[in-house]
């Protein structure tokens, strides 16, 4: 007769859980507090899906008091010019559509060491900016035209030329997480829902379908320069999985062979 060895439940569950979570990465980008024009992330995304309209949203935490005018977190620049899309965590936004420059000012301030959800949405003739699901753009300028293609995207610096022309007064210090670009102008309701779902929530299926530049793509394809690092986001589910595993182990250990 063959003997059957009972595998301890704890070992079995640990093995299964390891299979489930191995390789799962959930990282943020950390830009150091020691300011330098060498700290940034650069990539060359295909912007053809967002020529006519787009939205860019991110979770952001700044590490320094913002007495400076800068804090650029998203800068898209074309050859022969500076920023075509410039998004900052304070003072203003800028966008060049069909060769026309639009400076969009807003007055809302954000505190350091706190997570904020920022979202800029644009369709020719309509632009909106949201912080924590609340509409804050009050300047009244609404860019028209379309976005040129073939540019360079930099996170953490303001470009005065593609991939360069950085200024020490326009450097981001802090964390970026779940930065995504969408191929359409999101509604207030969609932006608000994204914020209230929380920093660690996945995008709902309808929004995920419209992503053309994802956080995963940025982490995998962006070139990290200087002292920028990828760090744990604090959003992994291991604590929840561990609690469930404990309950399952207790249940299985009470079962007869």
């Amino acid at each position: 007769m063959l003997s059957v060895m009972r595998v301890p439940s704890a070992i079995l569950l640990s093995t299964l859980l390891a299979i489930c979570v191995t390789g799962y990465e959930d990282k943020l980008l950390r830009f150091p507090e020691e300011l330098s024009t060498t700290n940034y992330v650069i990539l060359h995304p295909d912007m053809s899906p967002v020529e006519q309209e787009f939205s860019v949203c991110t979770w952001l935490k700044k590490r320094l008091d913002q007495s400076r005018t800068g804090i650029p977190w998203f800068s898209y620049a074309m050859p022969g010019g500076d920023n075509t899309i410039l998004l900052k965590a304070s003072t203003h936004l800028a966008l060049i559509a069909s060769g026309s420059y639009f400076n969009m000012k807003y007055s809302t301030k954000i505190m350091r060491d706190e997570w904020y959800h920022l979202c800029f949405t644009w369709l020719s003739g309509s632009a909106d900016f949201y912080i924590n699901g609340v509409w804050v753009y009050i300047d009244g300028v609404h860019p028209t035209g379309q976005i040129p293609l073939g540019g360079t995207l930099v996170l953490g610096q303001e470009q005065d030329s593609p991939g360069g022309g950085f200024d020490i007064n326009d450097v981001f210090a802090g964390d970026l997480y779940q930065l995504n670009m969408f191929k359409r102008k999101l509604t207030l309701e969609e932006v608000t829902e994204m914020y209230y779902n929380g920093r660690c929530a996945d995008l709902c299926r309808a929004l995920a379908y419209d992503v053309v530049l994802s956080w995963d793509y940025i982490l995998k394809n962006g070139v990290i320069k200087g002292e920028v690092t990828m760090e744990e986001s604090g959003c992994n589910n291991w604590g929840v999985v561990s609690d469930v595993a404990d309950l399952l182990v207790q249940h299985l250990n009470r079962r007869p062979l």
Side-chain angles (χ1 to χ4, degrees):
M1 176 183 296
L2 293 175
S3 61
V4 178
M5 181 179 68
R6 181 180 183 183
V7 178
S9 300
I11 295 176
L12 178 60
L13 280 172
S14 297
T15 302
L16 291 174
L17 288 170
I19 293 172
C20 292
V21 301
T22 297
Y24 177 77
E25 291 187 353
D26 197 0
K27 306 290 188 180
L28 57 78
L29 287 173
R30 177 157 295 161
F31 297 77
E33 295 182 30
E34 184 174 346
L35 300 179
S36 170
T37 55
T38 63
N39 298 331
Y40 59 94
V41 176
I42 186 171
L43 59 161
H44 298 84
D46 176 15
M47 300 289 275
S48 58
V50 298
E51 283 185 277
Q52 307 295 331
E53 61 179 305
F54 68 85
S55 301
V56 182
C57 301
T58 192
W59 287 91
L60 177 149
K61 180 196 291 185
K62 70 176 186 178
R63 295 284 183 177
L64 297 176
D65 286 325
Q66 290 312 129
S67 56
R68 299 171 295 120
T69 60
I71 341 230
W73 53 273
F74 187 101
S75 170
Y76 175 71
M78 294 295 300
D82 53 10
N83 300 280
T84 296
I85 307 171
L86 175 62
L87 306 178
K88 294 188 174 186
S90 69
T91 69
H92 77 276
L93 318 161
L95 187 144
I96 298 176
S98 297
S100 298
Y101 178 81
F102 302 88
N103 185 16
M104 295 162 279
K105 298 179 181 178
Y106 68 97
S107 58
T108 305
K109 304 297 182 184
I110 65 175
M111 306 297 291
R112 72 175 184 177
D113 298 323
E114 297 286 343
W115 280 107
Y116 289 85
H117 185 253
L118 309 182
C119 202
F120 176 72
T121 69
W122 174 78
L123 168 68
S124 183
S126 177
D128 294 291
F129 186 60
Y130 305 87
I131 297 179
N132 289 352
V134 177
W135 181 76
V136 298
Y137 175 54
I138 58 175
D139 189 76
V141 176
H142 295 283
T144 58
Q146 65 182 36
I147 303 301
L149 306 180
T152 299
L153 175 62
V154 166
L155 307 180
Q157 303 274 351
E158 178 178 345
Q159 303 176 83
D160 285 335
S161 60
F166 305 138
D167 185 331
I168 194 63
N169 293 309
D170 288 310
V171 178
F172 173 67
D175 298 341
L176 288 178
Y177 181 60
Q178 289 296 354
L179 191 161
N180 293 289
M181 192 169 199
F182 305 84
K183 63 183 179 182
R184 62 181 177 85
K185 187 179 190 299
L186 301 183
T187 65
L188 167 62
E189 291 76 17
E190 289 170 323
V191 173
T192 301
E193 179 182 6
M194 203 185 311
Y195 166 67
Y196 280 108
N197 283 344
R199 182 172 68 90
C200 295
D202 292 332
L203 291 173
C204 69
R205 183 173 299 180
L207 288 182
Y209 176 78
D210 288 323
V211 172
V212 293
L213 177 63
S214 70
W215 184 238
D216 284 345
Y217 181 89
I218 291 171
L219 294 181
K220 292 175 182 177
N221 296 279
V223 179
I224 296 177
K225 299 287 189 177
E227 301 301 317
V228 179
T229 58
M230 279 196 291
E231 306 288 346
E232 295 294 334
S233 69
C235 285
N236 67 71
N237 294 320
W238 179 250
V240 176
V241 171
S242 180
D243 291 342
V244 173
D246 288 343
L247 292 173
L248 288 173
V249 168
Q250 294 172 23
H251 172 71
L252 291 174
N253 281 338
R254 289 196 296 267
R255 296 176 60 190
L257 181 63

